[in-house]
């Protein structure tokens, strides 16, 4: 028997580096088999301006295996529906089920944190609606039968306080708000299946990308970075959420990762308890319970 598979099968999209890689590592440390998707297959090919971003989908998968799970790298462009279809066909063929889908893939333009109104920035920011919102829907559409086959599953969207407050402009905010609403509506369709959909507001993440941003915009990010979260912390919270006997009660709701961590007794790798930013950046929206078919 594949021990990792017996501990659950997960898919983390956009996992070459950053949040996705850290989440995948944490799920691997919990003994899961983790499929990781991304476009980075060559070290240093991705950049922010002149600064290379390190990491590939292959070393991310190796890190998952080193953590105690089984990491499986699948190069995949989530803007290409055929590649996504092939990804899920592979998971179905190799395992016949999926326990956790982490929708994390997001197309981020380098101009995201630059000051100024949206019309002065590249139109490429709208690509977040393709890889980041539409791609989440496509992945969940393919994942649903596999999650239901597992008898119990979780679709987790990596969202942000930017869904509720102004953050990085209207494209970013709309993408994050869309994740929250998508989770709420998918939860309605999943009722009775054992599958939950939850959108997660992450705090500032300690990633290579955010560290570069903090150097460029220390005025805006210095205080937040001092109280940031590691992506592995987010992954441990996702795993605890999946194992929660009361998971169905949280389905359809947007949750703050730092608050879920307090509920589950999860701490960051350095023993810290990352703070909730609820009082500064706002609280998740409560959607109306009315249903129109």
């Amino acid at each position: 028997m594949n021990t990792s598979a017996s501990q659950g099968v997960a898919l983390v999209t956009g996992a070459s580096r950053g949040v996705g890689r850290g989440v995948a590592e944490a799920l691997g440390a919990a003994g899961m088999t983790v499929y990781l998707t991304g476009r980075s297959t060559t070290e240093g090919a991705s950049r922010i301006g002149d600064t290379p971003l390190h990491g590939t989908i292959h070393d991310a998968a190796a890190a998952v295996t080193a953590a105690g799970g089984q990491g499986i790298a699948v190069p995949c462009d989530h803007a290409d529906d055929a590649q996504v279809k092939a990804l899920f066909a592979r998971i179905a063929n190799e395992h016949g089920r999926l326990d956790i889908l982490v929708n994390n893939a997001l197309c981020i333009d380098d101009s995201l944190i630059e000051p100024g109104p949206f019309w002065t920035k590249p139109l490429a920011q709208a690509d977040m609606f393709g890889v980041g919102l539409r791609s989440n829907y496509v992945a969940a559409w393919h994942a649903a039968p596999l999650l239901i086959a597992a008898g119990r599953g979780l679709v987790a969207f990596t969202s942000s306080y930017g869904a509720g407050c102004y953050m990085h402009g209207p494209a970013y905010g709309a993408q994050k708000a869309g994740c929250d609403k998508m989770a709420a509506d998918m939860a309605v369709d999943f009722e009775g299946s054992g599958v939950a959909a939850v959108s997660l507001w992450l705090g500032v993440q300690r990633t290579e990308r955010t560290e570069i941003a903090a150097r460029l915009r220390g005025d805006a990010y210095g205080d937040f970075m001092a109280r940031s979260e590691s992506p592995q912390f987010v992954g441990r919270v996702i795993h605890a959420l999946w194992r929660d006997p009361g998971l169905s009660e949280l389905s359809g709701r947007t949750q703050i990762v730092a608050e879920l961590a307090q509920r589950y007794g999860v701490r960051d790798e350095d023993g810290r308890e990352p703070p909730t930013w609820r009082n500064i950046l706002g609280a998740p929206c409560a959607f109306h319970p009315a249903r129109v078919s």
Side-chain angles (χ1 to χ4, degrees), residues 15-289:
S16 298
R17 63 183 65 83
V19 172
R21 174 173 176 151
V23 167
E25 281 186 36
L27 296 178
M32 299 191 80
T33 294
V34 185
Y35 288 81
L36 303 87
T37 65
R39 294 180 300 168
S40 296
T41 57
T42 304
E43 175 63 34
S46 297
R47 312 177 75 86
I48 295 181
D50 295 329
T51 305
L53 288 171
H54 300 289
T56 70
I57 199 68
H58 301 294
D59 10 275
V64 169
T65 301
Q70 180 184 7
I72 302 173
V74 183
C76 180
D77 181 351
H78 281 271
D80 185 335
D81 287 356
Q83 291 187 39
V84 177
K85 180 180 180 181
L87 161 70
F88 283 95
R90 176 176 174 178
I91 296 172
N93 181 61
E94 294 177 353
H95 293 287
R97 77 176 210 271
L98 184 67
D99 297 289
I100 300 175
L101 166 65
V102 181
N103 267 324
N104 176 69
L106 177 62
C107 183
I108 298 179
D109 187 80
D110 289 352
S111 65
L112 186 67
I113 65 168
E114 292 177 3
F118 72 92
W119 61 88
T120 66
K121 299 180 182 180
L123 192 55
Q125 286 204 3
D127 291 344
M128 284 186 280
F129 303 138
V131 177
L133 197 54
R134 183 183 184 278
S135 63
N136 286 349
Y137 184 92
V138 173
W141 187 88
H142 284 287
L146 294 172
L147 291 161
I148 292 169
R152 188 175 186 278
L154 170 64
V155 179
F157 295 82
T158 56
S159 186
S160 162
Y161 291 88
C165 70
Y166 182 92
M167 184 180 289
H168 306 320
Y172 181 85
Q175 189 271 329
K176 295 306 182 187
C179 288
D180 294 356
K181 187 62 165 66
M182 199 177 290
D185 289 356
M186 285 183 179
V188 173
D189 288 347
F190 277 130
E191 281 180 357
S193 70
V195 179
V198 179
S199 193
L200 301 172
W201 281 13
L202 282 57
V204 176
Q205 298 295 293
R206 288 198 298 278
T207 67
E208 188 177 15
R209 184 181 287 274
T210 55
E211 286 171 358
I212 292 170
R215 288 199 298 271
L216 296 174
R217 294 287 311 281
D219 57 321
Y221 297 99
D223 183 55
F224 286 104
M225 287 299 293
R227 290 180 281 175
S228 59
E229 303 167 354
S230 73
Q232 290 80 5
F233 169 76
V234 177
R236 289 195 291 274
V237 171
I238 289 173
H239 187 261
L241 176 64
W242 172 61
R243 289 176 56 87
D244 187 346
L247 175 60
S248 63
E249 298 169 10
L250 299 178
S251 188
R253 295 166 56 183
T254 300
Q255 299 288 314
I256 295 172
V257 167
E259 295 177 3
L260 280 179
Q262 294 173 4
R263 170 178 175 143
Y264 300 130
V266 175
R267 296 198 172 198
D268 212 337
E269 54 195 5
D270 51 10
R272 291 187 310 112
E273 296 183 40
T276 174
W277 297 96
R278 175 186 291 267
N279 293 335
I280 297 173
L281 299 178
C285 170
F287 296 108
H288 197 278

